[in-house]
PDB file of all heavy atoms in Angstrom:
ATOM      1  N   ARG Y 161     114.094 103.257 113.939  1.00 98.00           N
ATOM      2  CA  ARG Y 161     115.397 102.985 113.314  1.00 98.00           C
ATOM      3  C   ARG Y 161     115.322 103.130 111.800  1.00 98.00           C
ATOM      4  O   ARG Y 161     116.196 103.736 111.175  1.00 98.00           O
ATOM      5  CB  ARG Y 161     115.845 101.567 113.687  1.00 98.00           C
ATOM      6  CG  ARG Y 161     117.091 101.044 112.972  1.00 98.00           C
ATOM      7  CD  ARG Y 161     118.367 101.791 113.379  1.00 98.00           C
ATOM      8  NE  ARG Y 161     118.564 101.794 114.802  1.00 98.00           N
ATOM      9  CZ  ARG Y 161     119.100 100.782 115.518  1.00 98.00           C
ATOM     10  NH1 ARG Y 161     119.483  99.676 114.916  1.00 98.00           N
ATOM     11  NH2 ARG Y 161     119.261 100.888 116.821  1.00 98.00           N
ATOM     12  N   ALA Y 288     109.873 105.353 125.373  1.00 96.00           N
ATOM     13  CA  ALA Y 288     110.747 104.522 124.546  1.00 96.00           C
ATOM     14  C   ALA Y 288     110.971 105.141 123.168  1.00 96.00           C
ATOM     15  O   ALA Y 288     112.087 105.122 122.639  1.00 96.00           O
ATOM     16  CB  ALA Y 288     110.150 103.129 124.415  1.00 96.00           C
ATOM     17  N   VAL Y 291     113.427 108.143 123.371  1.00 98.00           N
ATOM     18  CA  VAL Y 291     114.776 107.660 123.675  1.00 98.00           C
ATOM     19  C   VAL Y 291     115.395 107.006 122.444  1.00 98.00           C
ATOM     20  O   VAL Y 291     116.567 107.239 122.122  1.00 98.00           O
ATOM     21  CB  VAL Y 291     114.743 106.674 124.859  1.00 98.00           C
ATOM     22  CG1 VAL Y 291     116.091 105.970 125.025  1.00 98.00           C
ATOM     23  CG2 VAL Y 291     114.373 107.406 126.143  1.00 98.00           C
ATOM     24  N   GLN Y 292     114.625 106.187 121.733  1.00 98.00           N
ATOM     25  CA  GLN Y 292     115.147 105.518 120.544  1.00 98.00           C
ATOM     26  C   GLN Y 292     115.517 106.517 119.458  1.00 98.00           C
ATOM     27  O   GLN Y 292     116.589 106.420 118.844  1.00 98.00           O
ATOM     28  CB  GLN Y 292     114.120 104.513 120.019  1.00 98.00           C
ATOM     29  CG  GLN Y 292     114.008 103.258 120.873  1.00 98.00           C
ATOM     30  CD  GLN Y 292     112.922 102.323 120.362  1.00 98.00           C
ATOM     31  OE1 GLN Y 292     111.782 102.724 120.182  1.00 98.00           O
ATOM     32  NE2 GLN Y 292     113.269 101.078 120.135  1.00 98.00           N
ATOM     33  N   THR Y 295     118.762 108.644 120.536  1.00 98.00           N
ATOM     34  CA  THR Y 295     120.031 107.916 120.494  1.00 98.00           C
ATOM     35  C   THR Y 295     120.381 107.462 119.079  1.00 98.00           C
ATOM     36  O   THR Y 295     121.564 107.448 118.701  1.00 98.00           O
ATOM     37  CB  THR Y 295     119.986 106.709 121.450  1.00 98.00           C
ATOM     38  OG1 THR Y 295     118.829 105.905 121.175  1.00 98.00           O
ATOM     39  CG2 THR Y 295     119.930 107.173 122.900  1.00 98.00           C
ATOM     40  N   ASP Y 296     119.377 107.097 118.277  1.00 98.00           N
ATOM     41  CA  ASP Y 296     119.662 106.708 116.893  1.00 98.00           C
ATOM     42  C   ASP Y 296     120.157 107.892 116.074  1.00 98.00           C
ATOM     43  O   ASP Y 296     121.110 107.778 115.294  1.00 98.00           O
ATOM     44  CB  ASP Y 296     118.411 106.113 116.236  1.00 98.00           C
ATOM     45  CG  ASP Y 296     118.286 104.609 116.452  1.00 98.00           C
ATOM     46  OD1 ASP Y 296     119.183 104.033 117.112  1.00 98.00           O
ATOM     47  OD2 ASP Y 296     117.312 104.001 115.974  1.00 98.00           O
ATOM     48  N   LYS Y 505     112.489  96.278 126.007  1.00 96.00           N
ATOM     49  CA  LYS Y 505     113.861  96.414 125.515  1.00 96.00           C
ATOM     50  C   LYS Y 505     113.909  97.671 124.663  1.00 96.00           C
ATOM     51  O   LYS Y 505     113.095  97.844 123.764  1.00 96.00           O
ATOM     52  CB  LYS Y 505     114.288  95.204 124.690  1.00 96.00           C
ATOM     53  CG  LYS Y 505     115.707  95.313 124.137  1.00 96.00           C
ATOM     54  CD  LYS Y 505     116.071  94.104 123.293  1.00 96.00           C
ATOM     55  CE  LYS Y 505     117.466  94.242 122.690  1.00 96.00           C
ATOM     56  NZ  LYS Y 505     117.824  93.077 121.835  1.00 96.00           N
ATOM     57  N   VAL Y 506     114.852  98.570 124.973  1.00 97.00           N
ATOM     58  CA  VAL Y 506     114.962  99.845 124.271  1.00 97.00           C
ATOM     59  C   VAL Y 506     116.364  99.980 123.694  1.00 97.00           C
ATOM     60  O   VAL Y 506     117.352  99.842 124.423  1.00 97.00           O
ATOM     61  CB  VAL Y 506     114.679 101.034 125.215  1.00 97.00           C
ATOM     62  CG1 VAL Y 506     114.723 102.348 124.446  1.00 97.00           C
ATOM     63  CG2 VAL Y 506     113.338 100.872 125.894  1.00 97.00           C
ATOM     64  N   THR Y 507     116.444 100.234 122.388  1.00 97.00           N
ATOM     65  CA  THR Y 507     117.748 100.445 121.776  1.00 97.00           C
ATOM     66  C   THR Y 507     118.292 101.816 122.154  1.00 97.00           C
ATOM     67  O   THR Y 507     117.550 102.784 122.313  1.00 97.00           O
ATOM     68  CB  THR Y 507     117.670 100.334 120.248  1.00 97.00           C
ATOM     69  OG1 THR Y 507     116.765 101.325 119.745  1.00 97.00           O
ATOM     70  CG2 THR Y 507     117.203  98.949 119.829  1.00 97.00           C
ATOM     71  N   LEU Y 508     119.627 101.884 122.286  1.00 98.00           N
ATOM     72  CA  LEU Y 508     120.316 103.134 122.620  1.00 98.00           C
ATOM     73  C   LEU Y 508     121.408 103.364 121.583  1.00 98.00           C
ATOM     74  O   LEU Y 508     122.600 103.285 121.870  1.00 98.00           O
ATOM     75  CB  LEU Y 508     120.913 103.045 124.031  1.00 98.00           C
ATOM     76  CG  LEU Y 508     119.922 102.719 125.156  1.00 98.00           C
ATOM     77  CD1 LEU Y 508     120.650 102.493 126.479  1.00 98.00           C
ATOM     78  CD2 LEU Y 508     118.882 103.831 125.297  1.00 98.00           C
ATOM     79  N   GLY Y 509     120.984 103.585 120.350  1.00 97.00           N
ATOM     80  CA  GLY Y 509     121.920 103.638 119.246  1.00 97.00           C
ATOM     81  C   GLY Y 509     121.981 102.276 118.581  1.00 97.00           C
ATOM     82  O   GLY Y 509     121.201 101.371 118.896  1.00 97.00           O
ATOM     83  N   ILE Y 510     122.904 102.109 117.646  1.00 97.00           N
ATOM     84  CA  ILE Y 510     122.954 100.887 116.841  1.00 97.00           C
ATOM     85  C   ILE Y 510     123.320  99.662 117.672  1.00 97.00           C
ATOM     86  O   ILE Y 510     122.665  98.618 117.573  1.00 97.00           O
ATOM     87  CB  ILE Y 510     123.955 101.037 115.675  1.00 97.00           C
ATOM     88  CG1 ILE Y 510     123.604 102.266 114.822  1.00 97.00           C
ATOM     89  CG2 ILE Y 510     123.972  99.769 114.824  1.00 97.00           C
ATOM     90  CD1 ILE Y 510     122.240 102.217 114.192  1.00 97.00           C
ATOM     91  N   LYS Y 512     123.996  99.392 121.294  1.00 98.00           N
ATOM     92  CA  LYS Y 512     123.616  99.243 122.699  1.00 98.00           C
ATOM     93  C   LYS Y 512     122.103  99.191 122.893  1.00 98.00           C
ATOM     94  O   LYS Y 512     121.329  99.715 122.105  1.00 98.00           O
ATOM     95  CB  LYS Y 512     124.208 100.386 123.527  1.00 98.00           C
ATOM     96  CG  LYS Y 512     125.729 100.394 123.549  1.00 98.00           C
ATOM     97  CD  LYS Y 512     126.273 101.513 124.416  1.00 98.00           C
ATOM     98  CE  LYS Y 512     127.794 101.479 124.436  1.00 98.00           C
ATOM     99  NZ  LYS Y 512     128.367 102.561 125.295  1.00 98.00           N
ATOM    100  N   ALA Y 513     121.705  98.548 123.984  1.00 98.00           N
ATOM    101  CA  ALA Y 513     120.292  98.472 124.364  1.00 98.00           C
ATOM    102  C   ALA Y 513     120.205  98.251 125.866  1.00 98.00           C
ATOM    103  O   ALA Y 513     121.140  97.754 126.512  1.00 98.00           O
ATOM    104  CB  ALA Y 513     119.588  97.344 123.631  1.00 98.00           C
ATOM    105  N   VAL Y 514     119.074  98.632 126.429  1.00 98.00           N
ATOM    106  CA  VAL Y 514     118.786  98.381 127.840  1.00 98.00           C
ATOM    107  C   VAL Y 514     117.464  97.643 127.900  1.00 98.00           C
ATOM    108  O   VAL Y 514     116.582  97.851 127.069  1.00 98.00           O
ATOM    109  CB  VAL Y 514     118.732  99.699 128.644  1.00 98.00           C
ATOM    110  CG1 VAL Y 514     117.624 100.612 128.139  1.00 98.00           C
ATOM    111  CG2 VAL Y 514     118.570  99.429 130.136  1.00 98.00           C
ATOM    112  N   LEU Y 531     117.844  95.636 113.439  1.00 97.00           N
ATOM    113  CA  LEU Y 531     117.176  95.144 114.650  1.00 97.00           C
ATOM    114  C   LEU Y 531     116.600  93.742 114.465  1.00 97.00           C
ATOM    115  O   LEU Y 531     115.565  93.392 115.021  1.00 97.00           O
ATOM    116  CB  LEU Y 531     116.057  96.122 115.071  1.00 97.00           C
ATOM    117  CG  LEU Y 531     116.545  97.509 115.483  1.00 97.00           C
ATOM    118  CD1 LEU Y 531     115.378  98.473 115.615  1.00 97.00           C
ATOM    119  CD2 LEU Y 531     117.314  97.429 116.792  1.00 97.00           C
TER     120      LEU Y 531
END
Side-chain angles (χ1 to χ4, degrees):
R161 172 68 54 81
V291 170
Q292 286 177 307
T295 53
D296 272 0
K505 179 182 177 181
V506 183
T507 60
L508 303 173
I510 304 299
K512 296 182 179 181
V514 62
L531 296 169

